Structure formats: structure tokens, C-alpha cells
Amino acid sequence: PDVRIYGVLDGHGENGHLVSRRCRENFPHFIKSANGKMDLAFNMMHNDLNSSDFDVRCSGATCVVATINSHGRLCVFNCGDSRAVMGRRTPNGAIIAQQMSNDHKPDKPEERKRILSCGGHLGCRQVLVNQGNRGPVSMPVGPCRVWYQHRGETLGLAMSRSLGDAIVHKFGVTAEPELIEHPIDEFDEFLIIASDGVWDVVDNNHAVQMVHNFAVRSQSWNPLEAANCLVKFARSRWEKLSPMIDDITCIVIKLQPISVSS
């Protein structure tokens, strides 16, 4: 009862929407059953997905969970490439972004080492750019992925940690969350938790400035409205940059009252 819990899930694959929905519904029960031991809760959630009545071999979800206890201690547990970013005020009054989670990409050295040691295969998609005298010339495009075979198709997962994705969990992808802890002080103003649908098109500092500019308008600013503002901006960026719009989910959490400019 003395801990507040916030989370964002980002489903992917054919049944990603079912994975994220099941996590949203069941994760709180597993956190309670695990007595707040989040490593255990993530493992319980992952096992629950593997026993579900829908196929999670090629579907899964990223998950970032933030907890704040009554003593003002923030813990961020991350599994995948959703992200938590704090808006923090410096002593001179400037607002800066402090990243509170690490994106789990397969080409990060520690993630790459684990996956390769488990027999996984990594690389980027290759696109043919020229047919030279020595044969075809290709170039890598897109993010590094963990590649696997399913029903005769070659598929790739662009993250190294996730819930679900049973096939690639045999090759070093893991549901173990990474923890970053932080004692909240008077300089910490708000926390943004969002899927990569935000972070792929809005950098940390820009997102923090947007929320801060929204918050300073009123002492009673609404974090939900600030989140909606950020989501709409991210969508407008996707519409300009790509024919495809990624899933966009965002939570903004007040940590302190913000001084309102006159």
C-alpha cells in the first residue's frame, strides 16, 4: 500500500496486442505475489505468457516499470527498448533530461555477448545497392536484430530483452529486467515513461522540455494532458518521417510541485 507502481508495455508481433493486454491485467498480481521482488515478478509474467492460450513464439512486449515508495525512492525496472526519462531541475533553474533506463538493443556489447554465447545470430537487414564485377554489393539498413527461423521464414527481433518471444529466448533474449535506483530529491520534477514510438522520433531533452513548458502554465497541471501533448507531437513526427506509425504510449508522473512563472 505504500508503493506507487507505473508501467508501459509495447507489444510486437502478430499477437503483441494480446501479450501487452495480458501483462497489463496480470502483472500487478505477480508483483504482489512476489512481494515486490521485481525480478521474480517479471519471470512469473514471462512464464504465464508461455502457458497462455495464444501463440507467443514470435510475439512479445517490452516493459518498463517504475515504483516510488513512501520514502521517495524511485526504482525503474526495464526489459526492452521502452524508456524512462526524468525531468530534473539544476540549481540555476534549467530543466534537463536524465535517462533512468537503458534501451536493450542486440548490438550493445553486454547484450551481444550473452546472445552469441547462447547460439543466437545478430545482424542488420541487407539491401542490394549494386551489382558489381565481384558480385552483388549490399548495405545494412535498420536496427540490429536477433534472427531466427519460423515456418520457413527468417524473422528478426530488434531488442535483446522482452516478455514472450519464446523462440528467441532460447538464444539469449531474456525477460530479466535491469534496475536503476534513484532517491528523489527537490530537483526531480517529473518522470516520463514511454514506448519507443516516442523515443524514436523525440529525443530525451526535447520531450522533457515539452512537458516542462506544459507544466509551468499552471500549478495544478495535469500529467495526463502533458502525456497527450507529447503523444500527439510524436505522432505528427512519424507522419512526416514515415508511411508507418509505430505504437505510441506515454505516462507522465509528477514528482514535485513545479514553480509557475508569473
Side-chain angles (χ1 to χ4, degrees):
D2 61 343
V3 178
R4 290 177 287 159
I5 302 175
Y6 309 88
V8 162
L9 296 140
D10 185 10
H12 52 261
E14 183 179 0
N15 293 322
H17 60 298
L18 300 178
V19 173
S20 57
R21 182 188 304 163
R22 189 178 181 104
C23 289
R24 184 187 65 194
E25 293 171 351
N26 292 355
F27 218 144
H29 305 297
F30 292 130
I31 292 172
K32 187 175 180 179
S33 298
N35 199 27
K37 296 178 180 176
M38 208 63 72
D39 282 10
L40 178 58
F42 270 75
N43 187 57
M44 293 168 72
M45 187 68 250
H46 181 66
N47 290 336
D48 177 72
L49 290 169
N50 285 331
S51 63
S52 63
D53 56 1
F54 52 86
D55 189 351
V56 297
R57 287 176 293 176
C58 305
S59 300
T62 69
C63 180
V64 57
V65 172
T67 67
I68 303 174
N69 69 16
S70 57
H71 302 292
R73 187 157 197 86
L74 169 67
C75 295
V76 177
F77 302 86
N78 185 43
C79 177
D81 58 4
S82 293
R83 186 186 305 166
V85 175
M86 181 184 293
R88 183 171 169 82
R89 181 169 41 84
T90 64
N92 65 7
I95 189 77
I96 60 171
Q98 180 173 331
Q99 189 162 318
M100 298 302 300
S101 65
N102 295 309
D103 300 347
H104 295 131
K105 301 292 189 181
D107 53 355
K108 291 186 65 175
E110 61 273 22
E111 303 292 300
R112 177 184 180 88
K113 180 179 180 181
R114 185 185 68 249
I115 290 167
L116 292 178
S117 69
C118 294
H121 298 280
L122 303 175
C124 300
R125 295 186 188 277
Q126 298 289 321
V127 173
L128 183 67
V129 293
N130 192 14
Q131 189 72 37
N133 295 331
R134 298 182 179 179
V137 178
S138 61
M139 64 178 293
V141 295
C144 181
R145 297 174 184 270
V146 184
W147 297 102
Y148 61 97
Q149 297 288 326
H150 180 62
R151 294 176 180 170
E153 288 188 75
T154 300
L155 303 172
L157 183 69
M159 63 210 68
S160 54
R161 302 192 191 197
S162 71
L163 296 164
D165 297 306
I167 290 180
V168 282
H169 275 253
K170 302 172 185 176
F171 304 120
V173 174
T174 178
E176 181 180 352
E178 184 176 7
L179 167 63
I180 291 180
E181 296 182 85
H182 175 80
I184 297 171
D185 61 32
E186 69 272 21
F187 296 107
D188 301 326
E189 296 196 341
F190 54 83
L191 185 70
I192 304 170
I193 308 176
S195 66
D196 66 339
V198 171
W199 305 117
D200 281 351
V201 292
V202 186
D203 68 40
N204 292 355
N205 285 310
H206 193 174
V208 163
Q209 290 296 335
M210 285 187 65
V211 173
H212 180 70
N213 291 341
F214 181 91
V216 295
R217 298 175 191 170
S218 169
Q219 193 73 50
S220 58
W221 67 283
N222 187 335
L224 177 59
E225 292 178 5
N228 283 333
C229 183
L230 185 51
V231 163
K232 288 177 182 178
F233 178 75
R235 182 179 177 87
S236 71
R237 293 282 294 156
W238 277 103
E239 289 172 344
K240 293 175 182 176
L241 296 171
S242 170
M244 186 268 312
I245 298 174
D246 197 6
D247 301 332
I248 304 171
T249 301
C250 175
I251 295 175
V252 175
I253 304 149
K254 279 185 181 182
L255 301 176
Q256 303 280 353
I258 292 178
S259 299
V260 179
S261 56
S262 56

